[in-house]
Amino acid sequence: MPIKWILFFVICCFLTGCEESNVIEKLAVLEAGAYDLTESKENPIATTVLFPTVTREGKFDTMTLAANGKSIHDTFVKVQNLTNLKIVGGQGTILFGEELAKKGLINVVKSLKRDPEIGTRVKFALVEGQAGKLLELKFPSIEDNAEFIYMFLERASKQDKVLVTNQYRFLRDYYDDGIDPVLPVFTYEGKTIGLQGLAAFKEDRYVALLTSTETQMLNYLIGDITNGRLMINLSDGSTGDNVQLALSNINANNDKKINTRNMQAEIKLDVKGSVLEYTGTMDISKEKYAKQLEKRIEQYIETNSEKLIAKLQQYQSDPIGIGKVVRNHLSYERWHAMNWYEIYSKMTIKVKVKVELVNSGKSK
């Protein structure tokens, strides 16, 4: 459902069943909020809000307001003083600036959680650079920046579970021992808004940017997948040319094994899917070549997954949840006595993959 219709229903709720009369022309129903770190010690938080407006000609438009303050509540009061409209909740997306995320988000997220007008399903995302600037800029191909990001995440999260990033999941992964949050990262360079990658956190601090390939691998390392997809670039065995392979309808089972004596881990992936597109020279309708392609996909996933894990270990970020598996195999006392991040960074973690191509689908 488009976010404008969601906001319409929110407005209707304000118009009925309340003692205080709320006239639609006097309301500013927020579509998105953005929070950044400023250079001021006196007012370290910058808040930018975006809400839809209707021109006298009856056309939809958007307006942004921004203010700096000591806290989230302080900036909100200042933003309210910039307009004669009554600002009410309804945010679909909350954006965080890069520098604020590097310092730590938990105090800001706690403030948002205490606001009854912000639901647990509000979508969270990071912005490379200033989050407020992304809301303020005008792009020729985008009518409403907030709606664009909301719908982008709504669509993407149905295909990649790692992009299901809302307030509830961020707080769950932050407070749960043995797993760290992730958030999508958007960029506004050029003439449009694009997904830059995925932010990996250590506790509440943004520590590493994962590429699109790394994000794909993380999606499969976290847990089971139903009706997934995967884009792979390989080299043709005979010509050496670049080959693109698109897999769809993927069902993947994920099994994590832990040896707590020597602190080694193994992630087993059982992947079944269909070939949607293949640009190589092998005739994969023949079993011999299909088996060869399966082996190459297994090697690709294993190699790239282990590279990703090594990167996450370097930054002591555990979005895969290796720590949860370790914790569940230890006593409460032993788990809390160990320096988990230090142990995690030195662990041997292997990935074993079994791929079965159900059918060859389309090939070129």
Side-chain angles (χ1 to χ4, degrees):
M1 179 183 292
I3 194 169
K4 284 190 176 70
W5 285 107
I6 296 173
L7 294 174
F8 174 77
F9 289 125
V10 172
I11 292 171
C12 289
C13 291
F14 280 102
L15 293 175
T16 60
C18 301
E19 291 183 5
E20 181 183 354
S21 176
N22 290 282
V23 181
I24 188 170
E25 290 82 2
K26 296 181 179 180
L27 297 179
V29 184
L30 301 186
E31 277 191 278
Y35 302 95
D36 290 291
L37 189 66
T38 73
E39 296 180 355
S40 169
K41 293 183 179 179
E42 185 71 18
N43 296 300
I45 297 295
T47 294
T48 306
V49 297
L50 181 149
F51 53 90
T53 60
V54 180
T55 66
R56 291 183 178 180
E57 294 77 21
K59 295 182 179 180
F60 273 108
D61 200 354
T62 59
M63 178 177 291
T64 57
L65 299 174
N68 297 350
K70 296 180 175 61
S71 65
I72 297 297
H73 179 72
D74 184 33
T75 57
F76 184 81
V77 172
K78 291 179 178 179
V79 166
Q80 177 63 84
N81 290 336
L82 296 176
T83 177
N84 63 340
L85 302 174
K86 179 181 178 181
I87 297 178
V88 295
Q91 295 97 323
T93 310
I94 299 292
L95 303 176
F96 303 103
E98 184 178 0
E99 294 304 316
L100 178 62
K102 288 179 178 179
K103 184 177 180 181
L105 292 181
I106 194 59
N107 289 333
V108 174
V109 175
K110 283 181 178 179
S111 295
L112 295 173
K113 185 177 183 295
R114 288 191 289 267
D115 188 338
E117 293 187 354
I118 299 178
T120 59
R121 301 298 176 181
V122 62
K123 300 183 187 303
F124 278 4
L126 256 62
V127 175
E128 193 175 60
Q130 294 288 314
K133 187 176 180 181
L134 184 147
L135 292 184
E136 293 172 343
L137 288 174
K138 297 292 185 179
F139 299 94
S141 60
I142 300 175
E143 179 182 345
D144 184 328
N145 296 353
E147 183 178 19
F148 175 88
I149 295 173
Y150 180 90
M151 297 305 296
F152 185 103
L153 291 174
E154 186 76 2
R155 173 188 57 79
S157 63
K158 293 177 181 178
Q159 298 173 326
D160 299 309
K161 63 190 298 183
V162 74
L163 291 176
V164 181
T165 52
N166 51 40
Q167 183 189 111
Y168 167 79
R169 181 169 177 175
F170 184 90
L171 287 171
R172 182 199 67 185
D173 290 349
Y174 170 77
Y175 283 114
D176 196 359
D177 278 351
I179 190 169
D180 292 304
V182 293
L183 290 178
V185 181
F186 286 93
T187 182
Y188 48 82
E189 294 295 328
K191 296 183 179 180
T192 190
I193 300 170
L195 183 66
Q196 182 74 357
L198 197 70
F201 283 74
K202 179 182 179 181
E203 296 179 336
D204 71 323
R205 292 183 294 106
Y206 168 37
V207 293
L209 176 66
L210 307 185
T211 65
S212 58
T213 298
E214 291 169 336
T215 301
Q216 282 192 114
M217 294 300 101
L218 181 62
N219 193 49
Y220 286 83
L221 294 173
I222 286 179
D224 295 344
I225 296 292
T226 301
N227 197 28
R229 61 175 187 168
L230 189 61
M231 292 291 295
I232 296 176
N233 289 315
L234 302 169
S235 61
D236 191 289
S238 57
T239 66
D241 294 336
N242 185 61
V243 172
Q244 188 171 72
L245 175 67
L247 301 179
S248 64
N249 301 320
I250 297 175
N251 292 319
N253 294 323
N254 181 305
D255 186 27
K256 298 180 178 70
K257 301 290 186 182
I258 298 292
N259 186 331
T260 54
R261 292 183 179 180
N262 54 17
M263 282 300 170
Q264 294 184 355
E266 182 179 77
I267 303 174
K268 290 185 177 181
L269 298 178
D270 186 3
V271 180
K272 295 181 180 180
S274 301
V275 177
L276 181 63
E277 183 178 31
Y278 170 67
T279 62
T281 58
M282 292 191 302
D283 183 0
I284 58 175
S285 63
K286 296 180 180 179
E287 184 178 359
K288 173 184 175 181
Y289 298 112
K291 292 296 181 185
Q292 290 181 17
L293 186 59
E294 288 173 352
K295 290 297 181 184
R296 298 191 65 190
I297 298 170
E298 290 170 0
Q299 293 171 0
Y300 176 92
I301 296 176
E302 289 175 0
T303 299
N304 284 278
S305 293
E306 290 181 358
K307 285 181 179 178
L308 168 61
I309 291 169
K311 178 177 179 176
L312 293 171
Q313 288 179 295
Q314 177 187 349
Y315 289 97
Q316 295 189 348
S317 174
D318 182 19
I320 298 172
I322 299 296
K324 289 178 65 175
V325 184
V326 172
R327 181 198 68 191
N328 292 338
H329 283 75
L330 300 178
S331 67
Y332 176 87
E333 292 76 14
R334 185 181 173 190
W335 167 255
H336 283 276
M338 68 169 53
N339 185 339
W340 164 242
Y341 283 114
E342 186 66 25
I343 293 172
Y344 165 70
S345 65
K346 299 175 181 178
M347 284 182 68
T348 298
I349 305 173
K350 295 293 183 182
V351 179
K352 299 296 181 183
V353 181
K354 175 63 178 176
V355 171
E356 180 183 348
L357 298 178
V358 178
N359 61 66
S360 59
K362 298 178 182 179
S363 61
K364 181 179 179 182

